[in-house]
Amino acid sequence: MALAGRQVLVIIGGGIAAYKSLELIRRLKDRGARVRGVLTAAGAQFITPLSVASLTGEPCYQDLFSLTEEAEMGHIRLAREADVIVVAPATADLMAKMAHGHANDLASTILLATTAPVLIAPAMNVEMWKKPATRRNLEQLKADGIHVVGPGAGDLACGETGPGRMAEVPEILAAVERILDAGPRPLAGVRALVTAGPTLEPIDPVRFISNRSSGLQGYRIAEALAALGADVTLVSGPTNLATPADVRRVDVESAREMWQAVRDALPVDVAVCVAAVADWRVTSPAAEKIKKSRDGLPALELTENPDILASLAALPAGERPRLVIGFAAETEDVVRHAAEKRRRKGADWIVANDVSGGAVMGGARNRVWLIRGDDTPEAWPEMDKAEVARRLAGEIAAHLAGAAEAEGSA
């Protein structure tokens, strides 16, 4: 196990999500890690030092100017003895300190002094998360090599809704394990693009055309590609999922917004189009809510949306990704329809899945067929979507390695 015997330092920032850090410590210990806790002054407004100490089995560290600890240069010891440092929750204030190299308390001093990998789990109000200053700080932290997991979207403690929820404990644990796992990274240097989730096409200010996609399969694919070392951009329709660790996420709503975000992400080596993009949109959405009428149903004129998969596949040489992969959600004659879609859209591979039972879109498991250029279907057994993602990422890595070897011997 990646965590067995490893030293993990958990820095707890000041936010209502601090309570999750106690569960994180417990689960890290369950997996064999040795855990120390640093509680910021703001964090101590939400949980107690005694709670942290009870779960870690060590003192809870708080004070940069502690006579007992700093006589032994405690902040340096904490910084250097950790195999990984997890900041959860990472507040806007902590992120700003890290991005600008501040060191005015124990937490920020440790983070500036450490040579260990650092993982942050941001958590804050939705408007704070969206602010340009926070976005700049986030990009600076990523450029500095800081790993990021989350945040997710949903109901926040402040009563608002949107991105800003701290990633759930299992997601943070998985990110820590990936960081500590010294396994091969065959996709290092590869740029990958993944689309995920549904699109929303407005009818009027309160109604829209959409579908049942949860985005989970696309998010797991982005996560699996990043775990193999790829530089991943995830273009996502509306979901309630946390951003996978080490993945750059761009949020969109409509198909046209998704296509623009995809174009902005180019050039890439691999594109995996998992998003369930609405085929049609209302030509002229109503500016006001459409009212019921005794005159009958409203007439909705539809127009075709951009075909993102076909457009990517049709890009000229030099701009087209080396590998373009689509997904085909079908309800009958799954393999035949998927193979026809691959040829029609010009994709290199297509992943077919049967959604007729209603348990795949929005569910945790999937059964797929991988169809490559010769249209011979490769049936995979039903498995968790994370396992589907890992297997597909492995196939992508093998394909690119084979292509590189062939080019080298040509």
Side-chain angles (χ1 to χ4, degrees):
M1 292 177 64
L3 287 170
R6 308 303 287 271
Q7 182 74 61
V8 182
L9 181 66
V10 178
I11 295 177
I12 304 165
I16 191 64
Y19 77 91
K20 291 184 182 178
S21 65
L22 299 177
E23 180 66 12
L24 174 62
I25 291 169
R26 185 191 304 275
R27 296 307 170 207
L28 287 166
K29 297 276 286 185
D30 287 347
R31 285 164 170 75
R34 295 176 291 125
V35 185
R36 288 171 170 160
V38 171
L39 188 60
T40 66
Q45 300 299 310
F46 295 90
I47 60 175
T48 68
L50 181 58
S51 300
V52 177
S54 297
L55 289 172
T56 62
E58 295 206 24
C60 176
Y61 301 93
Q62 292 182 273
D63 191 358
L64 176 61
F65 300 106
S66 163
L67 291 176
T68 303
E69 292 298 327
E70 288 309 308
E72 302 172 0
M73 297 297 286
H75 67 281
I76 298 296
R77 180 171 56 84
L78 290 170
R80 299 294 164 79
E81 291 179 0
D83 292 306
V84 63
I85 296 177
V86 182
V87 185
T91 61
D93 179 63
L94 267 173
M95 288 175 60
K97 286 181 176 180
M98 293 173 67
H100 295 280
H102 291 190
N104 62 352
D105 62 4
L106 181 58
S108 57
T109 302
I110 289 170
L111 289 163
L112 193 60
T114 191
T115 57
V118 177
L119 171 70
I120 64 171
M124 65 195 71
N125 169 267
V126 60
E127 294 304 326
M128 295 172 70
W129 176 249
K130 291 179 178 178
K131 280 293 185 293
T134 304
R135 311 309 294 175
R136 287 195 301 271
N137 290 338
L138 179 66
E139 290 308 311
Q140 182 60 57
L141 292 172
K142 288 181 176 179
D144 292 343
I146 301 299
H147 303 272
V148 184
V149 58
D155 294 334
L156 305 178
C158 59
E160 297 184 5
T161 300
R165 287 171 59 93
M166 189 171 101
E168 298 302 324
V169 169
E171 294 167 326
I172 300 173
L173 286 171
V176 173
E177 289 179 331
R178 281 197 302 274
I179 291 168
L180 292 176
D181 185 358
R185 294 171 66 81
L187 292 179
V190 171
R191 295 190 63 185
L193 167 71
V194 180
T195 67
T199 60
L200 306 186
E201 308 298 335
I203 296 171
D204 62 22
V206 298
R207 302 182 181 93
F208 53 81
I209 298 171
S210 191
N211 55 65
R212 299 180 185 274
S213 173
S214 67
L216 181 60
Q217 186 65 83
Y219 275 60
R220 294 291 80 88
I221 289 170
E223 181 178 61
L225 292 170
L228 294 186
D231 178 3
V232 183
T233 298
L234 171 64
V235 179
S236 174
T239 75
N240 289 320
L241 300 172
T243 307
D246 303 322
V247 169
R248 183 185 307 104
R249 173 172 159 182
V250 180
D251 290 316
V252 299
E253 284 200 349
S254 70
R256 285 178 291 179
E257 290 175 355
M258 182 170 283
W259 174 227
Q260 182 60 56
V262 164
R263 284 185 292 180
D264 290 344
L266 298 176
V268 297
D269 300 295
V270 179
V272 188
C273 296
V274 194
V277 181
D279 293 315
W280 309 282
R281 67 179 186 274
V282 175
T283 304
S284 300
E288 305 293 340
K289 179 183 175 183
I290 300 172
K291 303 293 186 183
K292 280 188 176 180
S293 170
R294 295 182 182 277
D295 299 329
L297 299 175
L300 298 179
E301 181 183 349
L302 300 178
T303 190
E304 206 167 351
N305 265 326
D307 190 323
I308 296 174
L309 176 61
S311 298
L312 278 171
L315 288 172
E319 296 180 36
R320 185 189 190 276
R322 287 189 280 159
L323 187 59
V324 177
I325 304 171
F327 265 65
E330 303 291 347
T331 58
E332 46 88 24
D333 209 351
V334 174
V335 171
R336 181 174 68 83
H337 285 311
E340 289 173 354
K341 179 176 179 177
R342 189 200 67 78
R343 293 192 297 270
R344 185 173 68 253
K345 295 181 182 277
D348 300 303
W349 299 355
I350 202 142
V351 181
N353 57 338
D354 186 347
V355 298
S356 59
V360 172
M361 294 189 86
R365 298 183 67 78
N366 208 348
R367 176 154 189 257
V368 307
W369 291 258
L370 177 59
I371 302 173
R372 306 177 204 247
D374 61 359
D375 284 341
T376 301
E378 180 183 316
W380 293 2
E382 181 181 319
M383 60 185 86
D384 184 90
K385 287 182 176 179
E387 183 56 35
V388 172
R390 286 190 288 269
R391 185 163 173 176
L392 182 62
E395 295 286 347
I396 291 169
H399 174 84
L400 293 181
E405 184 176 337
E407 290 173 5
S409 61

